[in-house]
Amino acid sequence: IWTTTPWTIPANQAVSLNPELEYSLVQVDAGQGAERMILATEMVEGVMARWGIEHFQVLAHCKGADLEHLKLRHPVYDRQVPVILGDHVSLDAGTGAVHTAPDHGMEDFEVGKAYGIGTISLVQADGTYTSAAGEFAGVHVYKADGPVCEALQREGKLVHSEKFRHSYPHCWRTKTPLIYRATPQWFISMDKNNLRADALDAIKGVRWVPSWGQNRIEAMFEQSPDWCISRQRTWGVPITLFVHKETQDLHPDTGALIEKAAQAIEKDGIDAWYDLNPADLLGSDADQYEKVTDTLDVWFDSGVTHESVLRTRPELGQFPADMYLEGSDQHRGWFQSSLLTSVGAYDEAPFRTVLTHGFIVDGEGRKMSKSLGNVISPADVVEKYGADIIRLWAASADYGQDISVSAEILERTSEAYRRIRNTFRFLLGNIFDFEPGEAVPFDRMPELDQWAMTSLAGLVSRVGASYDDWKFHQVYRAIYDYCVTDLSAFYLDVIKDRLYADDADSDSRRSAQTVLAEMLTALVRLVAPILSFTAEEVWRFMPEPLREGVESVHLAGWPTLEVPQARAAELAEAYGVVLDVRDEVMKALEEARNAKAIGKSQEARVVVKAAEDVRSVLAERGTEELAAMFIVSAVEIEPSTDGLLSVDVLPAEGEKCPRCWNYRPLGASGLCARCDDVVTR
């Protein structure tokens, strides 16, 4: 056998083989004369090389299953141990024969239990061997490797030993090596009263976000062993039980005793149990029973918050909770313990929805650590950027996986925030003279404004659905793309001419302002759950009539926007074509600008050559409307000879109007007809 923990050899009670692996009987001289050893066939040559043995002979082969129940002699003590079978035996390291000590390993404990092999408890709570360990009695296990190896050498059982680096469990807090030691504990059975089956049924009635959370927790419950709820600690919630000193059976009046202990703890605190004289509760039985000093698993503590928090505080709403939210590691922790205690007590889950998120890592995907110097303090980010930048960064990430953060990522988030904030500044700045009573009805709006209204309605619908699905990164992406693509790069750019050059009270300008007001009142509500402080600031700067007397955006309710659905579908299809053409026009204008053929886009007229279906859509809009949308002085539409879309950029005809900068025929006033009419009024 092979082990990295010689100190566990005294507790050996079996040797495990894999039933499906092939084993070889090997004749060899390892320094003790001719011997015959059983090794996994695939490992023979590697083992011989490690031991420095050049000459050996394989005599026979068999399956591991053929050796089950074979009796072996313990290498130190005068007793026999059996060969048992376990799937945990692999060819990753060692010899294919695994030293098995149920006292000191989970796999050893489980495979031993299958063969009726229990624990022998040779190691005490202080880490030293008991007298039952013979020559090792009183030796601390940390110092036992040497004495054990010496005993093996003395008995002629040590074939080879060496020091090498390998993985070993350590305490996460003190960084010291751990000792696995089997001890008596209290358990909640997963199957005795159908707790496992009932919990699996309850899982199906819960909404899991992301959806893979359901598969994960179901797999855990299907494989979960009985729940060990006891701990040996000097602090914590006590397990208020009395057990018989000889039989360890529970006191027959346990239920009533637990209630009395609970009343004492409610009055005097946790120490009431530890200070309690058993005779005060047990009377004459006190001589036969002892007080349990174990404490509850802290996951049991947190797992009953549905009782200690929700059920005892009606003001919090209800039981079950709307949502439990934690990191993805809590499927095995809080979510599982809460579900078990609630199903066990009330036959239902304690939550309607469970949302899990990944963990924060640095820009390279590494865990944050002071030693690596990659920790980013939220307080520093708030100091530099403001709290809403952290909120926007958190919302922009897909929390279904680990979330990266770095100075570069925060800079990008800050830039995204700036673009959203600038959108609000534009909206606020261009409705300064607008009153809700001046709003233009949808059916009287120019077509572009109707499209903008339907686009906004689509955004409200998508964002609402994403919030309902807890997909905050989709909320962020939808709002950001809307502000940058639909608004800044298109609609807001196009309507500047109407806002700044049309008559202040004209229907065209009021229509644009109507749309801007709708955008403002909807967007500020949509971003409020994420950009809470910015939204509140925007709300305070909004014209009073648009706030309708509501003090805070967080009290304003969710936006609703109704548009004719048939018209919305028609415009979405048409403007899909228009915007594709506009993209090509923008590229052509940029190329002309780079070639110094034009300066501003108003200095150009464009000739769009397209297939019949595209020309038909463009013609329905009209060349004047297209010129406004393309921000050029004129648009001409011609057939495409090859069926492909192309754009020619030519110098604009006419002269530059000094007021609107468009190229038009100028009148006696030196202005274009539109500007002359506005100025004359």
Side-chain angles (χ1 to χ4, degrees), residues 537-552:
E537 182 184 8
V538 171
W539 189 261
R540 290 201 306 270
F541 279 98
M542 282 171 54
E544 175 60 34
L546 294 184
R547 285 184 279 158
E548 298 179 327
V550 179
E551 181 180 0
S552 167

Side-chain angles (χ1 to χ4, degrees), residues 15-21 23 64-65 68 83-90 96 98 100 107 110-112 114-115:
V15 172
S16 296
L17 305 181
N18 188 306
E20 301 301 323
L21 291 180
Y23 289 82
E68 186 179 21
V83 171
I84 61 178
L85 305 177
D87 294 333
H88 66 291
V89 180
S90 70
V98 175
T100 302
E107 289 177 331
E110 292 297 333
V111 72
Y115 282 85

Side-chain angles (χ1 to χ4, degrees), residues 199-225:
L200 286 168
D201 285 341
I203 287 170
K204 294 179 173 60
V206 175
R207 180 184 180 191
W208 299 88
V209 182
S211 59
W212 53 256
Q214 179 172 346
N215 294 334
R216 183 172 186 179
I217 199 165
E218 283 178 340
M220 289 178 177
F221 269 89
E222 288 167 355
Q223 302 170 12
S224 179

